[in-house]
Structures are given as structure tokens and as C-alpha cells.
Amino acid sequence: MARLSLQNPLVTMGQIRSPPSCKDGISKTLEEDLRNCACGLIQASGIILQLPQRTMATAQVLLQRFYYVASIKQHPIRDVSLGAIFLASKVEETPRAIQDIINAMDYAIHHQRKLKFQLMTYQGREFYDMREGLIRSEMELLRHSGFNVHVQLPYALMINYLKVLTLDSHHELAQKAWSYLNDGLRTPIYVSFDPPTIACAVIFLAARENNIKLPSSPPWYQLFEAQLDEMEVICHHILRLYTRRLDPYLPLTGTELTEYLEDAETFRNQLLG
């Protein structure tokens, strides 16, 4: 990453406007959907693996960072999702076995595509491909990040800010803000803004949802050194998630991506048999 903060590496405007995948002929809309899909698969796999939310969040942030320095065309989302889970589980000291991660991801993919699931054989080609993809992607994640895999998340900050605002007992607001933090992992906000700004943005959004008035003289978010214009951009990213319907048959491997780009409808029909 070109720009570093004390908390997290943040992407530049140049990276946002022209990510590597777009240079490889993948539209911004498709890239956005593929990132969203990958993070959804990480979350679903993490739940199956009984990973803490922090580990699942770390994996998603690592994946989001990666695709600002590497192309989805060269590094398909299934492999990078597997590698991100494996790496994050070690970073957060909640390790899981490779075969368990692969089985969880395979189940999550079948569930998303509404396909019949059957446990793969460990000697089969599919398991071998996923294992190789996981190992290769973990190394690529480390290499492209310069081995900087530290992720500071805004969950604890958000709770502390609610306490300062004497809103920590408002359970609906806190739960809504927490949900926004989880959903926001599917967007670029965690690699574009610092944790305090993200925490303030979800409080702002949750308070509006619950019709709660926040201090305005002076504006409450100034206490936490956040800026309203950045908070509004974060809110826009989160709310935009709820207006888009994600295609359950998005391409997950390199071969699938090639076929999808040639003819999306034919690709879906092949998946459905």
C-alpha cells in the first residue's frame, strides 16, 4: 500500500479509481460483486468453522487490501478467500486445519449456489486444487502486503464511543451499529478509512435508523476526530449493499471467470446442469 496510517494500511485514490482487476478487463461493477461474494463466503465459512468474528473480519480486510494490489483475473476469489481465512486464523491465534477450511468453503459455495453438497474425497482433484490454491494465496497475500498483516478493527471503538455518548444501554442501536460494521466488511470502507471514522459512521447510521438525536453543538463526532463528509461516504457504501442483488452464480475460479466473461448466461446454465 502506498499510504500507511498508524492503524491500518489505506489505499490511495489512484488505487480506488483504477484497481488491477479493472486493468485486466473486469468491470468495476463485477469486481465489486466479486469482492462482496468473496467476503460473504469467508463469513459463511467462518461461521461453519466456529471462528470468532474478529478472525472472519480480519480475513475479509486482508482480502479487500489484496485486490487493490493484485488482480482477480490472476488470483481468483475462491483461492484468495481460502488463503485469507487460513492466514487470518493464524494471525488471530484461532488456527484451523486446512482440510476443515476447504470443507467449510466448499459447503458455503454449494449452499450459495443452491447445489447439492457432497463431501469431497481428500484424494480427489477438486480437493487438491483448493489446497494448492489456499497455500499459494496465503503466500501471495503475505508477499503483496509486505508481510504487514496487522488489522485494527473498529468494533471496540464503536462500543467505547457509545459509552461516551451514554448510549451503550440502547441495545437496538448497538446491535444495529454492530451489524453495519459486519456488513461493511463487504465494501472498501475498511481499507479506505481509519477505524475511528468507521465507528462514528455506523453510530451515525444506526442512530438515524432508530430516530435518536445525537449532540450537535458541537457535533459529537468531532470529539472522536471524525469528519462528516467521510462518514457520509461510509454510510453510502453500506446502504448501497442493500440495494443490490448479488448473483449466486458469480465465477469463483479462474476457469469460471473466463467462461463468465465470455457468456454469463451459458456459465450459469452449466452450473445448474
Side-chain angles (χ1 to χ4, degrees), residues 87-223:
L87 179 57
S89 71
K90 292 191 287 186
V91 169
E92 299 299 337
E93 299 183 355
T94 54
R96 296 294 187 272
I98 287 179
Q99 68 184 47
D100 292 337
I101 295 173
I102 290 173
N103 283 328
M105 177 64 67
D106 191 45
Y107 180 86
I109 291 170
H110 279 75
H111 180 74
Q112 175 179 289
R113 291 177 167 178
K114 297 180 172 59
L115 300 174
K116 184 178 180 182
F117 174 74
Q118 184 175 359
L119 194 65
M120 69 179 75
T121 171
Y122 297 148
Q123 286 76 41
R125 182 69 192 181
E126 186 73 6
F127 182 85
Y128 174 81
D129 288 345
M130 292 179 77
R131 183 178 183 277
E132 289 300 301
L134 180 153
I135 295 170
R136 182 174 59 253
S137 292
E138 184 199 19
M139 291 306 302
E140 290 298 316
L141 283 159
L142 288 168
R143 184 172 72 85
H144 280 81
S145 67
F147 289 82
N148 178 9
V149 293
H150 170 71
V151 175
Q152 183 181 14
L153 297 166
Y155 292 88
L157 282 175
M158 186 269 290
I159 296 299
N160 287 335
Y161 292 175
L162 288 177
K163 289 179 180 178
V164 172
L165 295 166
T166 65
L167 289 171
D168 51 308
S169 60
H170 196 297
H171 300 301
E172 287 185 16
L173 186 148
Q175 185 59 54
K176 195 69 177 176
W178 190 276
S179 296
Y180 285 141
L181 286 179
N182 289 341
D183 292 344
L185 291 162
R186 297 175 179 237
T187 76
I189 65 173
Y190 282 78
V191 295
S192 304
F193 300 96
D194 59 24
T197 303
I198 298 171
C200 286
V202 298
I203 291 172
F204 174 76
L205 198 54
R208 189 172 66 179
E209 178 76 16
N210 286 274
N211 295 313
I212 295 173
K213 187 173 177 59
L214 297 170
S216 58
S217 297
W220 62 276
Y221 48 83
Q222 290 183 357
L223 177 64

Side-chain angles (χ1 to χ4, degrees), residues 29-90:
T29 299
L30 179 57
E31 183 191 8
E32 182 181 344
D33 286 349
L34 288 171
R35 286 172 178 263
N36 186 340
C37 176
C39 290
L41 289 173
I42 289 173
Q43 187 74 20
S45 301
I47 291 171
I48 295 168
L49 292 163
Q50 297 184 322
L51 288 169
Q53 177 59 29
R54 177 173 182 84
T55 303
M56 293 185 278
T58 295
Q60 292 173 67
V61 174
L62 291 175
L63 179 139
Q64 292 279 9
R65 286 181 189 170
F66 179 74
Y67 282 131
Y68 280 108
V69 292
S71 171
I72 293 173
K73 194 169 186 179
Q74 307 302 322
H75 305 277
I77 65 170
R78 186 187 70 178
D79 291 350
V80 177
S81 298
L82 286 165
I85 294 172
F86 187 52
L87 179 57
S89 71
K90 292 191 287 186

